[in-house]
């Protein structure tokens, strides 16, 4: 019978007496211990040689008590010359750590983010260079309104609707469409470009309608 | 029961039962019940914040209109707004609260890939804004918006 992978003699780091044979640690049943190979090692990357027992593996060198028993017996000292204490059971020499598997790359649509940025810049430009003039003109026109019964038509009229309300809604719609395009971009769908085009169309329509007065 | 000492380890991924499994844990599993959509709707994700912005803008315009109508009533304006000044403020507050609530619910449903319920909630939100606008114009007795 070949030498077992585990000597069966625990090392008690606590300094107490060695356990009696009656309480000897568990040993694998006979016939389940593999033949000890001459090399005793398997390089990293090769599949583990699963033998009849999952706890058996070619050893690195001279048999040394490295790990605890399967049922939680006393552990080995940390300064084992053969292996580190953190090596998994039955493994060969500790190789390079395998990186945790990463998830699939996040989908994206090239150019859609820049298009959304352009639309945002367009809304700011429209609000500052076009709508600002309309708002200033409307506020200046309120000064001539008399505080009488006819004053309401001076405040609420077609100019207010087409040069204040519609451009405001167009800018808000463009911002909302930018967000919708961002959601589509995060899912890798190119339909976000349609939302960007709709945003530009809303700004253009508000500019044409408001400027037509 | 799987015996690790007398049988070989399974070489294929899946449930460790020692034999080939009929259900793989590596592929999506069909669930019972309502099947959620695969993608989030970008249109609904755009419509939800737009509803919120519309509610905010509409509530602001209603508030300014209420202030203007009250001021004009003090200067001789004869309209329905002059007799409903105390209740005129309820409409913009209700528009703001209900509009933002519906926008939040619709956006949350859209985020959870519940396209049809989200669409229903957003349409209901816009319908309520339209109804509130009509009601406010009636209470105001003046052209609005």
């Amino acid at each position: 019978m070949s030498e077992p992978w585990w000597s069966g003699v625990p090392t008690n780091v606590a300094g107490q007496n060695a356990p009696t044979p009656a309480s000897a640690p568990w040993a694998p049943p006979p016939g389940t211990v593999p033949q000890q190979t001459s090399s005793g090692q398997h390089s990293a990357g090769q599949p583990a040689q699963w033998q009849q027992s999952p706890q058996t593996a070619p050893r690195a060198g001279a048999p040394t008590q490295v790990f605890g028993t399967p049922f939680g017996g006393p552990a080995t000292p940390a300064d084992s010359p053969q292996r580190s204490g953190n090596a998994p059971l039955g493994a060969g020499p500790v190789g390079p750590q395998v990186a945790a598997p990463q998830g699939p790359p996040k989908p994206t649509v090239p150019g859609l983010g820049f298009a959304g940025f352009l639309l945002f810049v367009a809304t700011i430009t429209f609000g500052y260079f076009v709508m600002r003039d309309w708002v200033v003109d409307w506020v200046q026109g309120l000064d001539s309104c008399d505080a009488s019964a006819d004053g309401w038509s001076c405040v609420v009229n077609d100019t207010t609707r087409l040069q204040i309300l519609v451009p405001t809604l167009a800018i808000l719609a463009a911002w909302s469409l930018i967000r919708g395009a961002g959601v589509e971009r995060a899912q890798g769908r190119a339909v976000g470009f349609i939302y960007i085009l709709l945003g530009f169309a809303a700004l253009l329509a508000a500019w044409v309608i408001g400027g037509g007065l | 029961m799987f015996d690790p000492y007398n049988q070989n380890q399974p070489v294929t991924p899946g449930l460790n039962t020692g034999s080939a499994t009929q259900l793989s844990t590596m592929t999506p599993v069909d669930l019972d019940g309502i099947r959620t959509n695969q993608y989030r709707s970008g249109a609904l994700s755009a419509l939800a914040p737009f509803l919120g912005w519309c509610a905010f803008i509409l509530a602001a315009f209603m508030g300014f209109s209420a202030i203007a109508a009250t001021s004009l009533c003090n200067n001789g304006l004869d309209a329905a707004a002059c007799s409903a000044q105390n209740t005129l403020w309820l409409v913009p507050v209700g528009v703001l609260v209900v509009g933002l609530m519906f926008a939040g619910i619709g956006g949350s449903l859209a985020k959870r890939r519940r396209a049809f319920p989200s669409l229903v909630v957003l349409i209901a939100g816009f319908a309520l804004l339209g109804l509130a606008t009509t009601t406010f114009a009636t209470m105001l007795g003046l052209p609005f918006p």
Side-chain angles (χ1 to χ4, degrees):
Chain A
M1 180 178 176
S2 61
E3 187 174 344
W5 61 275
W6 184 66
S7 61
V9 178
T11 300
N12 195 336
V13 297
Q16 300 177 0
N17 297 329
T20 61
S23 61
W26 175 90
T32 61
V33 180
Q35 298 293 331
Q36 183 178 2
T37 60
S38 57
S39 61
Q41 298 184 10
H42 66 88
S43 60
Q46 294 181 359
Q49 301 177 10
W50 290 109
Q51 304 296 328
Q52 294 172 333
S53 168
Q55 299 166 345
T56 60
R59 293 178 292 135
T64 55
Q65 181 182 358
V66 180
F67 308 109
T69 63
F71 295 108
T76 60
D79 56 350
S80 170
Q82 296 295 329
R83 304 177 191 182
S84 66
N86 293 327
L89 272 176
V94 178
Q97 295 291 334
V98 178
Q102 298 180 356
K106 296 181 66 174
T108 183
V109 179
L112 186 54
F114 182 69
F117 174 74
L118 285 181
L119 180 58
F120 180 76
V121 172
T123 59
I124 301 298
T125 304
F126 175 76
Y128 184 77
F129 290 102
V130 179
M131 192 176 167
R132 183 188 60 170
D133 296 337
W134 295 345
V135 172
V136 169
D137 294 341
W138 178 74
V139 171
Q140 291 176 351
L142 292 178
D143 294 338
S144 61
C145 293
D146 55 345
S148 64
D150 297 331
W152 183 260
S153 60
C154 185
V155 176
V156 180
N157 48 33
D158 288 339
T159 303
T160 308
R161 299 184 186 95
L162 299 180
Q163 289 188 345
I164 304 298
L165 185 60
V166 170
T168 302
L169 292 179
I171 290 176
L172 297 176
W175 288 353
S176 300
L177 289 168
I178 290 173
R179 185 179 185 276
V183 171
E184 298 290 356
R185 173 175 174 265
Q187 299 178 111
R189 303 177 73 189
V191 71
F193 284 109
I194 296 179
Y195 299 151
I196 300 299
L197 290 178
L198 288 175
F200 279 111
L203 292 179
L204 184 62
W207 192 2
V208 170
I209 293 174
L213 293 178
Chain B
M1 184 177 177
F2 178 60
D3 184 4
Y5 305 113
N6 295 320
Q7 296 182 12
N8 294 329
Q9 293 285 329
V11 296
T12 57
L15 299 176
N16 190 14
T17 60
S19 61
T21 58
Q22 296 181 356
L23 180 63
S24 172
T25 59
M26 305 296 287
T27 58
V29 178
D30 282 338
L31 302 175
D32 295 334
I34 299 176
R35 184 178 181 85
T36 57
N37 298 325
Q38 185 177 4
Y39 295 103
R40 284 175 56 185
S41 174
L44 295 176
S45 299
L47 205 59
F50 184 67
L51 173 62
W53 280 114
C54 285
F56 180 77
I57 295 298
L58 187 62
F61 279 177
M62 285 180 177
F64 293 144
S65 299
I67 293 174
T70 302
S71 174
L72 292 176
C73 285
N74 296 332
N75 290 322
L77 177 65
D78 184 16
C82 299
S83 60
Q85 293 183 20
N86 295 331
T87 58
L88 212 58
W89 299 98
L90 297 177
V91 180
V93 173
V95 162
L96 185 64
V97 172
V98 173
L100 292 180
M101 184 176 64
F102 273 74
I105 294 174
S108 177
L109 289 172
K111 193 175 183 180
R112 286 168 171 76
R113 296 175 171 83
R114 298 290 196 269
F116 181 72
S118 174
L119 185 63
V120 169
V121 169
L122 293 176
I123 289 177
F126 279 108
L128 285 176
L129 289 187
L131 181 64
T133 303
T134 306
T135 304
F136 186 78
T138 303
M139 294 175 62
L140 209 57
L142 297 168
F144 182 84

